[in-house]
Amino acid sequence: ESRRLSKEILCDILQPRAVELLQHVAAEISRQRLQIPSGVVLCGGGSMIRGMVEIGEQIFDAPTRLGFPSTDGFGGLIGEISNPAWATACGLASISIKNQLREQSTGRSSTAKRVVRWLEGFREKLRS
């Protein structure tokens, strides 16, 4: 059942969760003995909540900004995907395309093609 909340109550709910989430990320970075030399980039729809960048700067003690998808390679879609909510998906799609192009240029079969061939072979074995 839906109900209405004031912005104040919503902020009282969201802020501690945002702090907790970013503290978990900071703890994992620390546990892995990694450093953040040039800052933090927040991606995803949740990063667009007002105040997330400021919370990130406090938690990580580093410059923090929102991440936006690169405009390269997305043609006519860029108008629809030009916000942080799409940054991770676009980045993963770009990396996948680059890897497939690299594999094609070296004559190797792409991972995706090998998986498809394996599944087709598996399906054929089930039919017989």
Side-chain angles (χ1 to χ4, degrees):
E1 180 177 327
S2 63
R3 60 182 179 161
R4 293 184 172 257
L5 293 175
S6 70
K7 285 183 182 180
E8 183 180 354
I9 292 173
L10 187 59
C11 287
D12 288 344
I13 295 168
L14 288 178
Q15 188 199 17
R17 299 298 76 77
V19 169
E20 181 180 21
L21 173 66
L22 294 179
Q23 283 175 337
H24 281 295
V25 172
E28 186 62 27
I29 290 169
S30 177
R31 192 173 14 268
Q32 297 293 325
R33 294 190 174 97
L34 300 173
Q35 294 180 352
I36 305 173
S38 52
V40 175
V41 178
L42 300 177
C43 300
S47 70
M48 296 168 40
I49 296 173
R50 192 173 10 170
M52 284 296 286
V53 170
E54 292 79 7
I55 292 171
E57 287 176 339
Q58 291 173 1
I59 300 293
F60 297 110
D61 194 26
T64 303
R65 67 178 180 86
L66 292 178
F68 288 83
S70 170
T71 58
D72 300 338
F74 290 100
L77 292 174
I78 201 62
E80 286 79 25
I81 62 170
S82 290
N83 68 60
W86 288 96
T88 303
C90 290
L92 291 172
S94 294
I95 289 170
S96 176
I97 289 169
K98 288 176 186 175
N99 285 342
Q100 288 182 14
L101 291 174
R102 187 176 339 113
E103 288 173 352
Q104 285 176 356
S105 69
T106 61
R108 291 179 24 211
S109 179
S110 74
T111 305
K113 286 182 183 176
R114 289 192 308 261
V115 169
V116 167
R117 272 190 255 127
W118 182 83
L119 287 172
E120 287 173 347
F122 187 72
R123 184 175 55 186
E124 290 302 318
K125 287 178 184 177
L126 288 176
R127 286 183 181 167
S128 15

